[in-house]
Amino acid sequence: MSSYNPKEFEKEWQKRWKENHAYKVENHSTKPKYYVLDMFPYPSGAGLHVGHPLGYIASDIVSRYKRHKGFNVLHPMGFDAFGLPAEQYAIQTGQHPAVTTAQNIARYKEQLDNIGFSYDWSREVQTCDPEYYKWTQWIFCRLFESWYDKSADRARSISELEEIFNKEGNATVNAHSDETPVFTAEEWKAKNHEEQQQILLNYRLAYLADQMVNWCPELGTVLANEEVKDGVSERGGYPVFRVNMRQWFLRITAYAERLLDDLDTIDWPEPLKEQQRNWIGRSEGASIFFELAPGYSDLTPSPSPKERGDAEPGWKGTSQEDWKTLMPFARENRKNNTEAENELWQLLRDNKLGQRFRRQHAIGKFIVDFVCLPAKLVVEVDGSIHDSEENKELDAGRTYELEQLGFKVIRFTNDEVLKNPYSVRDQIKAALAASPLSFGEGSGVRSENGISAGEDAGLPPSPLERGRGEVRIEVFSTRPDTIYGATFMVLAPEHELVQQITTAEQKTEVEKYIEYAGKRSERDRMSEVKTVTGCFTGAYALNPFTGKQIPVWIADYVLAGYGTGAVMAVPGHDSRDYAFAKHFGLSIVQVVTDKDNSVSIDEEAYEAKDGILINSDILNGLAVPEAKKRIIAELEKLGIGKGKTNFRLRDAGFSRQRYWGEPFPVVYRNGLPYLVDESELPVTLPDVQSYKPTGDGSSPLAAIEEWVNTPNGKRETNTMPGWAGSSWYFLRYMDPNNANEFASKDIVDYWQNVDLYLGGSEHATGHLLYVRFWTKFLYDIGKIPVAEPARKLINQGMIQGVSQKIYRALPDEDGKIPLIYSIKDKGNYTSADAYEIFVSEEAAKDGYPSKLQLIHVPIIHVDNGVLNIQSLIKDDIDLISDKDSNVFITKYGAWYANSATYEMTFENFFDYSDSEVLHKDFYTVPEIEKMSKSKWNVVNPDDMVEKYGADTLRLYEMFLGPLEQSKPWNTNGIEGVYRFLGKLWRLFFNDKGEFEVSDAEPTKEELKILHKTIKKTAEDIENFSFNTTVSAFMICVNELGQLKCNKRAVLEPLLVCLSPYAPHIAEELWARLGHTEGILDVQFPEFNNQYLVENSFSYPVSINGKTRVQIEFPLDASEDSVKDGVLANETVQKWLEGKPLKKFIFVKGRIINVVV
RNA sequence: GCUCGGGUGGCGGAAUAGGUAGACGCGCAGGACUUAAAAUCCUGUUGGCAGCAAUGUCAGUACGGGUUCGAUUCCCGUCCCGAGCACCA
């Protein structure tokens, strides 16, 4: 009983803490509050590994310390429980994600409790709990019912916006919104309900839009930008395509400025802030319009849609690739027809008009509502959504492109169809009759009267038919001051004007380039080589300031997605433009120089932003910042541009075509979204037969008709993304069981926000941006008192695992794996059935004659050149059925018999003369990387607790190094920490092994040791320097051990200092000292400096900067007396060697330096 | 390419308003206790040179310069490692 054995008491204390609700936190207290939060984990099937607790231990130490310091500490834990892995697992096994998630959570909690954390589990939240996501949905509703008033710089309610519309229209509204045509109050009132709703959607902070999104067919869902890396999904590495989809978006861009500015108010790591700044990507400059030069009138329309070269013109123009992309949406559309579409279909189907119609059919790049292919007639039925100017223009473009494919297009509105279906049918009939029928399909019926439906449809003119002088190219530039040096323009290949402005001569080349650029981007990402490419369109624009015609080019260094997708190229002062101009021989004009006018742009562009303008007429002599202001004023005066701030940040896609997420509290009527009544919250997830993504872009929920169809409309069948629930969870912890509000006002007012937030830096541009966004929104609508979620944030480093990789040879088409070298000569060992080959990294580089796959393997043991297969092969790797076989390794291969009876030894196959090639490094590739089950490098904290106890694990993880630093896990030092706890334990026991503590007065020396430790502990915790505190404890215990100090007056305060780090042993010894109350709430010992004060100091004396001797002087000794003492010293005399004293440096309490 | 971190013994890492470099731990070596082992305790451990030894002495915080009585710490340049961003106009 006398030796330290954590197993004897750790579990017992954990049980008692639980039974006594030792960690229960009250919402009302006279104590000051302190909120310590860990980023809650996603409960994966693999369980916790030793990396997870690193941050949790640190936050637990702070929590316990603050509690000792008299704070009311909120330290909760919960689970981010919605997400893809559980759903993927459900797809594979058919198990409900809720079931597996609950299992995983139970396992996590068990593991966490093993380590003795001070969480108040009564406040646990799980994002997948309906009682939780009710409020996630509720916040979504608030976003839907809000708009952003730029003038007030905050979110306001939609009802206030409606009031403004009713009073004065939208002209005076300065909102962060989609482009909306101006209307007066009268015009607003004249609009019907649906039209009004459609317009309001342009303003809402949660809105629907068709946008290009990252569609991942394998995962069956849309992914956020940050979930896509290098064109494949971050999770799983599946290919991702850019497709157009109708999605929910959150208008985070409205908050871009505040998200950026408020970074200065919070104590977060600088690199993380930098990442957010980068992601938000604010740049100031100007938007400028360039007119096309009149001289380009020789152009002829180049009407062909961008087919990427793989489609024939004509109606067959839907390429296979386009069709593959479009088909799922077409199918989906067929299921989700509007009422009007259904109505009309009944009149058209089954050859009712004498011709076969198809619905939701792909033509070119479009899915049209109805088409009669033989008659080449397209019929479109549009909701009121098509009434906006923007959509009219889109529709016009669509009509135009369809016409280029040889189709006639007629359009009807929903209303027309619903009110006068037969009139609509007759018009279609007439159009059919007017169409020259293609051969083949249908009966060839032709009608008597030949009205041209195309003309009748009253289409707006195609962009080409408008006056050419109207064509203007808008650019964004951060250097408008250099406009006099703009000698050409460059558009992105995808720019909408490219087709329109390209001249006949350049048409072929431009199309070739567009095709090339489309293919290039993929390849370009792979290779880092940057080549200059581009193509002249034949068109010229006018530089509004020099009046010169400047050529318009297209090039893929201009991105379609940023700014306007077009730039004014200033080769003299932008390196990319410079390279482009040099490559294509375009003119380069210098317009900025430095103070001495010594800048040459013969070799490279001059990009400095502190120069002086030259060759720039009105700007000459101005410094760059002044020139910017001047030119912007000029642009605004001329009405061809204005100052503008651009952000890189995009609105956040908020729809996922998935099952395991929060359902939207939304139903659709007539294609318009409406919130469900608040009393219906939460909208719970129904059970489904299959969790498989449908593959056509809709979630598994869409299949459950009884859920989808409600008396009030059809439910939204997408679910919210994983980050929805985590964007506000820190608030729910404050008041987790509130059934009436997400959290009550007075409780939120008490806890405010998080004082210390701990988590990984990988969430910099995801969770941490979204949670700031939602916090600001909730602040705007008056629900919470602060606009930032966390005052201080610390990124704990990752604890990495050491994994080993090996190259595995894959069989060829004939099932053979080539063996080479001497093995080959031994004969028939090439069958993939019999052997599996692993080759070295070296062999892989040498060009091993087979496809190779890099796989992770568990740590491999090699004994006498024979590999132990048991360590190599585990069920999950599925390499071999018999685990007792041996594997053999050579420079070029490792192999083993697939049969238990077939015994092979190294000698059988390999000539020993070559055996020096056998070396571990030849076949394994050790690498330090993230711990993960699939990499076989996971260390389970339970094993550590089992062997050494929770306190040792806690101390050791802290002792590894600075919290923020990433480091590989190794258990080399853990014994030392365990030994330290043993030494501490022994301080309380006498030689006979009996508990014995003395009540004697401590000596001055003992008190000094104690107070040194108290000071260090308190300072280090405040600085989050946990590793050095552990050293301090060790020093303290070593010193007390030397003195054989077992005095209560020293040991009691020491236990309190140690208790945040090692709560179990502290609590156990505290109890043995006779305390009936636990140690948790004991006041942290006061540091008293008087015990540290010395009256003399042993000065290091250096001669010419090198320390030579130590001499003790009283601290209050005068410099002169010290000087005399030093110079009289023997050693000093020796070094002086009689040389004259040049200088005498005396720093009190620090150092003495003698210069000769 | 740009931005931000960081290079200290065999290893993890201490120490920077400029002031004894290598705390603490691991590992290693030697010793004590023991019939033995475990456990525990003690001693040494940056490198070179000299010495039986105590010790002395020189070098030393990636590299090259600078400021200073004094630089791991501040400044300039170079190299390397890590993270983030990456045609953002």
Side-chain angles (χ1 to χ4, degrees):
Chain A
M1 202 53 195
S2 66
S3 65
Y4 172 57
N5 187 356
K7 270 191 203 164
E8 284 168 7
F9 55 84
E10 285 192 348
K11 280 272 161 302
E12 182 59 30
W13 279 110
Q14 286 167 8
K15 205 175 112 198
R16 262 196 252 178
W17 289 327
K18 197 171 184 176
E19 282 166 358
N20 300 339
H21 306 289
Y23 301 122
K24 181 124 178 67
V25 183
E26 296 304 329
N27 280 333
H28 301 281
S29 167
T30 51
K31 296 177 183 174
K33 70 99 185 179
Y34 197 84
Y35 187 176
V36 186
L37 183 64
D38 295 293
M39 287 186 191
F40 62 171
Y42 176 83
S44 82
L48 288 175
H49 58 68
V50 289
H52 287 108
L54 184 69
Y56 303 159
I57 293 168
S59 65
D60 199 54
I61 289 166
V62 175
S63 302
R64 289 170 180 272
Y65 169 76
K66 286 285 176 184
R67 189 166 167 180
H68 285 301
K69 279 285 192 180
F71 287 84
N72 186 30
V73 180
L74 177 55
H75 184 41
M77 182 48 86
F79 298 93
D80 185 16
F82 270 134
L84 272 179
E87 182 155 343
Q88 290 293 72
Y89 190 72
I91 290 167
Q92 285 160 25
T93 63
Q95 279 206 67
H96 197 289
V99 174
T100 53
T101 301
Q103 283 167 359
N104 292 345
I105 287 176
R107 169 102 186 88
Y108 267 59
K109 285 172 81 167
E110 193 191 318
Q111 285 184 299
L112 289 170
D113 284 341
N114 265 342
I115 305 171
F117 291 121
S118 62
Y119 299 128
D120 178 357
W121 281 117
S122 73
R123 291 174 182 260
E124 176 187 355
V125 303
Q126 298 180 7
T127 54
C128 65
D129 179 354
E131 286 309 306
Y132 179 87
Y133 69 67
K134 171 179 180 178
W135 300 105
T136 309
Q137 291 173 342
W138 179 86
I139 294 170
F140 173 85
C141 294
R142 298 290 76 74
L143 285 160
F144 183 82
E145 287 186 337
S146 302
W147 61 291
Y148 201 87
D149 184 346
K150 280 202 249 183
S151 301
D153 207 15
R154 64 178 181 89
R156 297 174 64 185
S157 87
I158 282 285
S159 57
E160 288 177 88
L161 183 65
E162 284 179 282
E163 267 174 48
I164 299 173
F165 286 171
N166 274 321
K167 273 190 211 136
E168 42 197 291
N170 71 345
T172 58
V173 172
N174 183 14
H176 204 290
S177 65
D178 295 340
E179 269 184 49
T180 309
V182 176
F183 51 79
T184 64
E186 284 64 43
E187 284 169 329
W188 172 256
K189 286 178 213 155
K191 292 180 196 296
N192 67 29
H193 173 75
E194 285 185 6
E195 288 165 339
Q196 290 185 342
Q197 287 303 313
Q198 193 60 52
I199 287 170
L200 287 175
L201 215 43
N202 288 352
Y203 289 84
R204 297 180 189 277
L205 290 183
Y207 64 97
L208 275 172
D210 291 307
Q211 273 197 29
M212 295 301 275
V213 292
N214 304 304
W215 166 247
C216 179
E218 292 290 331
L219 293 174
T221 190
V222 160
L223 301 171
N225 284 337
E226 57 269 30
E227 292 170 315
V228 182
K229 293 263 145 72
D230 298 327
V232 297
S233 64
E234 197 177 29
R235 170 171 291 284
Y238 302 115
V240 173
F241 302 95
R242 302 280 295 165
V243 301
N244 220 354
M245 260 191 170
R246 196 152 178 80
Q247 300 282 314
W248 282 102
F249 286 85
L250 300 189
R251 217 177 285 281
I252 189 173
T253 50
Y255 284 87
E257 193 96 49
R258 282 165 67 190
L259 286 169
L260 197 65
D261 293 345
D262 287 357
L263 282 174
D264 297 335
T265 69
I266 48 180
D267 183 9
W268 288 21
E270 202 49 48
L272 191 146
K273 288 189 187 180
E274 200 54 36
Q275 270 189 69
Q276 292 212 345
R277 288 193 190 103
N278 241 316
W279 190 260
I280 295 167
R282 177 192 155 106
S283 50
E284 291 198 44
S287 145
I288 307 168
F289 286 94
F290 282 72
E291 299 264 337
L292 275 205
Y296 85 114
S297 57
D298 61 345
L299 66 81
T300 52
S302 57
S304 160
K306 297 171 273 174
E307 289 286 355
R308 299 275 182 247
D310 53 2
E312 303 283 317
W315 68 266
K316 284 176 185 155
T318 301
S319 69
Q320 257 198 321
E321 234 172 88
D322 281 347
W323 176 237
K324 255 192 227 155
T325 317
L326 290 171
M327 188 176 61
F329 300 97
R331 277 213 212 108
E332 179 59 19
N333 286 354
R334 272 172 223 169
K335 276 188 242 153
N336 292 325
N337 282 314
T338 63
E339 218 180 322
E341 284 170 349
N342 278 332
E343 182 86 23
L344 189 55
W345 180 238
Q346 297 313 317
L347 298 174
L348 299 180
R349 62 186 301 180
D350 302 328
N351 284 355
K352 278 188 184 131
L353 298 187
Q355 286 291 335
R356 179 166 171 210
F357 274 81
R358 298 156 191 263
R359 64 169 170 166
Q360 301 299 345
H361 195 80
I363 298 189
K365 296 184 310 169
F366 304 112
I367 299 169
V368 300
D369 289 336
F370 303 94
V371 60
C372 174
L373 290 174
K376 302 201 96 176
L377 178 69
V378 170
V379 181
E380 299 262 64
V381 181
D382 303 326
S384 48
I385 185 174
H386 289 259
D387 287 351
S388 74
E389 279 310 311
E390 198 187 327
N391 275 311
K392 270 184 183 151
E393 212 164 296
L394 280 176
D395 286 343
R398 183 175 162 118
T399 304
Y400 172 74
E401 293 209 8
L402 287 168
E403 283 173 348
Q404 291 304 316
L405 294 169
F407 284 83
K408 279 232 161 83
V409 182
I410 52 179
R411 289 180 182 278
F412 302 96
T413 64
N414 277 341
D415 268 351
E416 281 176 79
V417 173
L418 291 171
K419 281 178 191 150
N420 295 308
Y422 294 105
S423 144
V424 167
R425 182 199 59 186
D426 289 343
Q427 285 180 52
I428 294 170
K429 222 171 168 176
L432 259 187
S435 299
L437 280 178
S438 308
F439 55 87
E441 215 172 321
S443 62
V445 176
R446 299 200 64 156
S447 176
E448 318 72 54
N449 50 8
I451 315 156
S452 165
E455 287 159 26
D456 226 33
L459 296 171
S462 87
L464 254 191
E465 288 160 316
R466 286 181 292 174
R468 291 209 163 96
E470 286 174 28
V471 178
R472 305 200 296 177
I473 301 172
E474 186 185 2
V475 303
F476 173 76
S477 173
T478 52
R479 295 294 303 276
D481 52 301
T482 61
I483 194 164
Y484 284 90
T487 50
F488 58 100
M489 298 189 77
V490 187
L491 308 187
E494 301 90 345
H495 196 280
E496 53 180 7
L497 287 175
V498 171
Q499 297 299 327
Q500 196 182 327
I501 64 173
T502 302
T503 59
E505 301 88 72
Q506 293 299 111
K507 191 184 150 202
T508 325
E509 262 197 69
V510 164
E511 277 175 3
K512 254 163 59 185
Y513 183 74
I514 290 170
E515 183 191 340
Y516 162 77
K519 286 185 184 153
R520 185 169 180 248
S521 55
E522 290 293 322
R523 218 178 335 132
D524 209 31
R525 280 195 199 103
M526 313 297 276
S527 76
E528 282 285 299
V529 190
K530 273 163 193 158
T531 45
V532 177
T533 64
C535 177
F536 180 42
T537 61
Y540 289 84
L542 279 177
N543 183 320
F545 288 87
T546 63
K548 287 195 178 129
Q549 291 200 5
I550 57 177
V552 180
W553 286 64
I554 60 172
D556 65 0
Y557 80 86
V558 175
L559 306 174
Y562 182 76
T564 60
V567 300
M568 65 175 207
V570 184
H573 306 282
D574 180 288
S575 57
R576 292 152 303 165
D577 296 343
Y578 188 87
F580 195 81
K582 279 277 176 192
H583 189 264
F584 290 106
L586 298 162
S587 60
I588 301 173
V589 175
Q590 183 182 355
V591 291
V592 185
T593 187
D594 63 7
K595 286 190 189 80
D596 316 320
N597 193 14
S598 61
V599 173
S600 157
I601 55 167
D602 295 345
E603 295 298 325
E604 57 180 356
Y606 179 64
E607 294 184 289
K609 291 168 181 74
D610 53 0
I612 311 279
L613 274 287
I614 53 169
N615 298 331
S616 296
D617 193 19
I618 56 168
L619 301 180
N620 280 340
L622 291 178
V624 167
E626 282 74 52
K628 276 187 190 170
K629 280 181 208 146
R630 176 72 205 278
I631 200 74
I632 288 171
E634 204 65 30
L635 285 165
E636 286 172 359
K637 202 166 84 193
L638 294 170
I640 54 168
K642 58 179 187 229
K644 192 179 174 184
T645 304
N646 231 13
F647 290 94
R648 204 178 74 108
L649 184 71
R650 304 285 90 169
D651 277 342
F654 201 62
S655 295
R656 296 291 182 274
Q657 292 63 44
R658 279 280 167 168
Y659 172 75
W660 193 231
E662 299 89 349
F664 282 85
V666 165
V667 291
Y668 290 93
R669 293 193 288 277
N670 263 338
L672 281 170
Y674 296 91
L675 295 179
V676 303
D677 192 85
E678 203 169 315
S679 64
E680 289 177 44
L681 296 183
V683 175
T684 53
L685 272 175
D687 282 329
V688 292
Q689 292 289 314
S690 160
Y691 304 99
K692 274 204 179 73
T694 54
D696 64 0
S698 61
S699 88
L701 292 177
I704 315 167
E705 297 211 359
E706 60 275 22
W707 184 79
V708 171
N709 296 308
T710 79
N712 294 321
K714 280 183 180 243
R715 285 193 197 282
E716 166 69 63
T717 58
N718 286 331
T719 52
M720 298 184 197
W723 53 267
S726 60
S727 294
W728 71 281
Y729 74 110
F730 77 100
L731 293 165
R732 187 62 178 174
Y733 282 135
M734 297 174 181
D735 193 10
N737 300 311
N738 193 327
N740 306 314
E741 289 170 278
F742 72 89
S744 90
K745 187 82 171 70
D746 61 322
I747 291 175
V748 178
D749 283 345
Y750 174 71
W751 290 112
Q752 300 259 321
N753 56 6
V754 176
D755 293 281
L756 176 66
Y757 195 18
L758 265 120
S761 57
E762 67 272 20
H763 298 108
T765 53
H767 161 65
L768 288 174
L769 201 58
Y770 298 129
V771 70
R772 294 184 61 221
F773 164 38
W774 280 35
T775 303
K776 288 185 189 310
F777 170 70
L778 290 170
Y779 170 78
D780 279 359
I781 63 172
K783 296 292 177 188
I784 57 175
V786 283
E788 282 290 342
R791 295 163 202 259
K792 180 169 180 69
L793 183 138
I794 296 179
N795 289 131
Q796 91 271 22
M798 202 161 40
I799 292 199
Q800 297 143 316
V802 180
S803 41
Q804 302 212 58
K805 297 171 174 181
I806 191 167
Y807 289 90
R808 174 195 197 179
L810 299 173
D812 298 336
E813 281 154 17
D814 60 357
K816 306 278 185 190
I817 297 174
L819 293 179
I820 54 176
Y821 262 36
S822 54
I823 307 110
K824 203 176 189 174
D825 304 328
K826 302 280 182 184
N828 58 346
Y829 306 121
T830 57
S831 165
D833 300 332
Y835 307 106
E836 191 128 26
I837 310 294
F838 302 90
V839 303
S840 67
E841 191 180 17
E842 187 182 327
K845 280 179 195 149
D846 279 3
Y848 183 83
S850 175
K851 267 193 215 163
L852 297 174
Q853 178 189 25
L854 191 63
I855 56 168
H856 285 83
V857 291
I859 304 300
I860 294 173
H861 303 288
V862 184
D863 306 306
N864 300 321
V866 176
L867 198 87
N868 182 353
I869 193 71
Q870 256 174 321
S871 63
L872 173 59
I873 304 305
K874 297 250 166 124
D875 300 338
D876 307 61
I877 296 192
D878 193 27
L879 293 182
I880 187 173
S881 50
D882 174 45
K883 293 178 193 167
D884 297 318
S885 304
N886 286 329
V887 166
F888 302 88
I889 308 292
T890 73
K891 178 181 175 186
Y892 274 97
W895 66 100
Y896 55 86
N898 198 8
S899 146
T901 56
Y902 194 86
E903 295 259 331
M904 288 191 291
T905 63
F906 193 71
E907 290 87 343
N908 286 143
F909 288 90
F910 209 82
D911 192 344
Y912 252 120
S913 61
D914 276 353
S915 64
E916 67 268 22
V917 301
L918 180 83
H919 186 277
K920 205 174 153 207
D921 295 339
F922 282 134
Y923 55 91
T924 61
V925 188
E927 196 177 309
I928 290 171
E929 54 186 357
K930 201 172 166 176
M931 275 197 190
S932 134
K933 196 183 176 187
S934 63
K935 289 170 183 158
W936 295 103
N937 59 1
V938 174
V939 183
N940 187 336
D942 290 352
D943 297 342
M944 295 293 121
V945 171
E946 173 64 25
K947 203 163 169 194
Y948 300 102
D951 287 336
T952 300
L953 177 73
R954 291 170 65 106
L955 281 165
Y956 183 60
E957 292 223 7
M958 291 301 100
F959 190 58
L960 273 174
L963 182 62
E964 296 92 335
Q965 215 166 81
S966 287
K967 50 238 158 187
W969 175 261
N970 74 62
T971 49
N972 287 348
I974 199 165
E975 297 275 356
V977 171
Y978 183 74
R979 274 199 278 266
F980 152 71
L981 288 174
K983 282 184 207 169
L984 171 82
W985 183 263
R986 279 195 302 279
L987 288 177
F988 294 78
F989 292 83
N990 63 22
D991 293 341
K992 288 174 230 152
E994 297 154 339
F995 188 87
E996 187 187 315
V997 176
S998 140
D999 284 322
E1001 278 297 309
T1003 64
K1004 201 182 164 215
E1005 195 180 4
E1006 287 163 346
L1007 285 172
K1008 186 183 170 186
I1009 293 168
L1010 171 68
H1011 280 266
K1012 205 172 65 182
T1013 308
I1014 294 171
K1015 182 170 186 239
K1016 181 89 177 134
T1017 309
E1019 278 176 3
D1020 283 357
I1021 295 182
E1022 305 274 5
N1023 292 325
F1024 309 103
S1025 175
F1026 303 103
N1027 53 330
T1028 49
T1029 319
V1030 180
S1031 308
F1033 287 140
M1034 287 175 170
I1035 294 166
C1036 175
V1037 167
N1038 283 344
E1039 289 177 347
L1040 292 178
Q1042 300 267 329
L1043 299 173
K1044 300 222 181 314
C1045 169
N1046 68 340
K1047 292 169 187 162
R1048 177 182 288 270
V1050 173
L1051 296 182
E1052 276 196 350
L1054 176 62
L1055 281 184
V1056 181
C1057 286
L1058 183 74
S1059 146
Y1061 285 78
H1064 305 85
I1065 190 174
E1067 192 82 274
E1068 173 70 18
L1069 291 172
W1070 188 256
R1072 284 177 183 244
L1073 283 167
H1075 295 281
T1076 47
E1077 293 287 313
I1079 199 170
L1080 297 172
D1081 286 308
V1082 176
Q1083 191 67 27
F1084 199 82
E1086 274 303 317
F1087 160 63
N1088 188 339
N1089 199 41
Q1090 79 174 56
Y1091 297 116
L1092 299 194
V1093 175
E1094 298 280 350
N1095 40 29
S1096 69
F1097 180 74
S1098 177
Y1099 283 92
V1101 178
S1102 41
I1103 289 117
N1104 285 337
K1106 299 229 182 280
T1107 309
R1108 298 299 180 186
V1109 72
Q1110 305 234 350
I1111 310 174
E1112 183 143 335
F1113 289 104
L1115 269 172
D1116 52 6
S1118 73
E1119 178 162 350
D1120 287 342
S1121 65
V1122 169
K1123 188 172 176 180
D1124 293 346
V1126 167
L1127 293 179
N1129 184 279
E1130 220 175 287
T1131 321
V1132 176
Q1133 282 297 323
K1134 190 187 118 197
W1135 283 97
L1136 288 180
E1137 290 172 342
K1139 284 181 225 155
L1141 179 72
K1142 225 183 193 174
K1143 207 169 182 183
F1144 186 83
I1145 313 259
F1146 173 70
V1147 184
K1148 195 177 170 186
R1150 284 234 178 231
I1151 201 165
I1152 293 163
N1153 193 11
V1154 182
V1155 186
V1156 292

